Amino acid sequence: MTTSTPSSSQGESLRLGRATIRDVVPYPTERSPCAADLSDNTNLFGAPPAALRELTTAGRDEITRYPGLHARRLREALADYAGVRSDQVVSGCGSDDVIDSAVRAFAEPGERLAYSDPTFSMIPVFAKVNGLVPSPVRFASSGDIDPDALLATEARIIYICSPNNPTGSLATRRLVDRVIERAPGIVIIDEAYAEFTDDGRVSEAPDHDRVLVTRTLSKAFGMAGFRIGYGTGSASLVHEIEKVRGPYKENTPAERAAACALREDVSWMRALAAKAVENRERFADALRANGLAPLPSAANFLLVPIANVALVAQQMRDRGIAVRPYPGLPGIGDALRITIGPWALMELALDALLEVRAAAVTIESAG
Ligand SMILES: *Cc1c(COP(=O)(O)O)cnc(C)c1O
């Protein structure tokens, strides 16, 4: 045994820890202050007015008692927003919690979880911490999902993210239908960014017995700090997930504030989502005008292929702009993911990116 001191996030794995989680790296949640944080795809325009109003009125009982007071209200508000019955919706501590619980509910340890790579970085982690085998497959050369590659894994759980994080691509409906028709187990469709598109099947999920569609209040709705996500599916599918998730995952003040935002602030959300889409296209044009080639995106972020991405991100960070580096993505290479927000922030990001790139070119040509 060596006696190296654990660093902040990567302590030496404890030998008593389960073998399947030994190589899991904790999700980086450090958020030191910066001029513009364009790293996590949250709503950079602000929080819903009704949620802010409700937060200031938390009563004593909401703090001393276990949640439950407003869970029904939240569930009904989610069901109305999603267009399903309230027994067809399951909420959780973020959609992360809903996905993680679904993995546990529908697969035994040793079974597979298939997904198109690259996708949401938590998916292989949810597979491993639940004892499943992650089965990444390639996207088709068109950038769309490859249904037959996903089905060929014979995975108990197939995960499809649409729009996909980090590429921004939409999965074509017909291809998703093919997966649903032939999957041996359940299909999880992660629609964390659906509010930025006209696409989505959150209301249709209950028509199938094997489809869970997950969504979140963390992105377009601007409530990531509340940690509320949900899934829709048939009543019996949702019931299985609830058994695994357990009680009291959301806190009472967040439940109440979120329920009010879902009732009162949908048009607020839609207007800002439309603004994000407008700024995304404007930002993509500006990147292209400068010789960069962002991938087409249906979400509130852009993926921009660029060499030496770790260094580029670090140097942008030194200039006060946080973005997310993705080194060596399959089929893409090094790329930067940039969240879209108010135009003033996008200008800061563009300036920093071009400055960093110009400096790198100077060094290369000098060397
Ligand atoms: C952000 C994100 C989530 C998680 O959202 P929470 O509801 O905050 O847990 C889920 N899926 C994808 C693809 C995301 O990007």
Side-chain angles (χ1 to χ4, degrees):
M1 275 296 288
T2 59
T3 52
S4 65
T5 346
S7 67
S8 56
S9 66
Q10 286 164 312
E12 190 178 308
S13 256
L14 180 64
R15 281 177 192 272
L16 293 171
R18 277 167 42 203
T20 43
I21 63 166
R22 219 157 272 161
D23 63 343
V24 171
V25 179
Y27 191 83
T29 49
E30 215 247 324
R31 290 255 178 273
S32 49
C34 54
D37 187 345
L38 311 180
S39 71
D40 65 7
N41 302 341
T42 49
N43 186 336
L44 301 173
F45 296 92
L52 289 170
R53 179 197 71 219
E54 290 297 315
L55 254 195
T56 59
T57 63
R60 197 185 72 163
D61 280 357
E62 290 185 316
I63 294 163
T64 59
R65 310 301 305 268
Y66 279 104
L69 290 172
H70 306 289
R72 209 190 66 232
R73 261 177 79 193
L74 175 65
R75 198 172 178 145
E76 283 167 1
L78 287 169
D80 287 347
Y81 173 71
V84 298
R85 295 197 319 254
S86 63
D87 63 348
Q88 295 166 332
V89 56
V90 52
S91 58
C93 177
S95 54
D96 276 9
D97 185 26
V98 177
I99 297 168
D100 179 41
S101 301
V103 171
R104 254 193 317 289
F106 296 105
E108 295 289 356
E111 293 186 314
R112 291 174 189 278
L113 192 169
Y115 53 92
S116 307
D117 192 25
T119 197
F120 185 33
S121 60
M122 287 304 292
I123 297 307
V125 174
F126 290 144
K128 287 179 192 166
V129 300
N130 289 303
L132 271 62
V133 181
S135 295
V137 309
R138 295 293 285 263
F139 277 94
S141 53
S142 61
D144 215 324
I145 60 164
D146 180 344
D148 295 324
L150 288 165
L151 291 165
T153 63
E154 297 181 351
R156 175 61 50 183
I157 297 179
I158 295 178
Y159 170 89
I160 296 171
C161 189
S162 180
N164 185 49
N165 177 5
T167 59
S169 59
L170 274 179
T172 298
R173 272 186 101 74
R174 180 177 50 84
L175 302 181
V176 177
D177 285 337
R178 183 173 170 84
V179 174
I180 293 170
E181 279 157 23
R182 300 177 190 214
I186 77 154
V187 181
I188 300 176
I189 304 173
D190 185 338
E191 294 188 349
Y193 301 98
E195 275 87 3
F196 301 100
T197 75
D198 302 324
D199 202 62
R201 38 175 101 213
V202 71
S203 64
E204 300 158 35
D207 303 341
H208 305 271
D209 55 5
R210 61 179 60 215
V211 176
L212 173 72
V213 171
T214 59
R215 290 208 178 178
T216 180
L217 301 189
S218 301
K219 304 289 162 60
F221 269 104
M223 295 184 272
F226 280 167
R227 308 303 304 125
I228 293 179
Y230 60 102
T232 61
S234 70
S236 51
L237 185 129
V238 151
H239 180 68
E240 293 305 299
I241 298 170
E242 256 173 4
K243 286 199 284 192
V244 168
R245 183 210 55 196
Y248 309 142
K249 288 298 184 78
E250 299 121 318
N251 72 76
T252 313
E255 258 170 10
R256 177 162 52 80
C260 289
L262 283 161
R263 297 280 182 216
E264 299 172 42
D265 292 332
V266 171
S267 54
W268 171 92
M269 180 279 291
R270 285 202 215 288
L272 293 181
K275 191 74 200 163
V277 167
E278 183 190 322
N279 287 355
R280 178 190 74 209
E281 293 312 301
R282 191 174 166 197
F283 191 61
D285 284 343
L287 292 172
R288 282 190 289 265
N290 285 284
L292 292 158
L295 272 61
S297 170
N300 66 335
F301 55 83
L302 282 172
L303 190 69
V304 190
I306 191 163
N308 296 322
V309 72
L311 188 63
V312 170
Q314 185 52 53
Q315 292 182 342
M316 288 180 72
R317 192 69 183 69
D318 295 343
R319 287 165 172 76
I321 312 296
V323 292
R324 178 96 184 252
Y326 287 88
L329 291 178
I332 296 169
D334 280 13
L336 213 51
R337 194 193 65 194
I338 305 175
T339 304
I340 305 296
W343 188 249
L345 295 185
M346 304 324 297
E347 280 182 320
L348 292 178
L350 186 66
D351 289 350
L353 176 56
L354 296 181
E355 217 178 284
V356 164
R357 198 182 52 154
V361 170
T362 315
I363 291 166
E364 269 168 33
S365 50

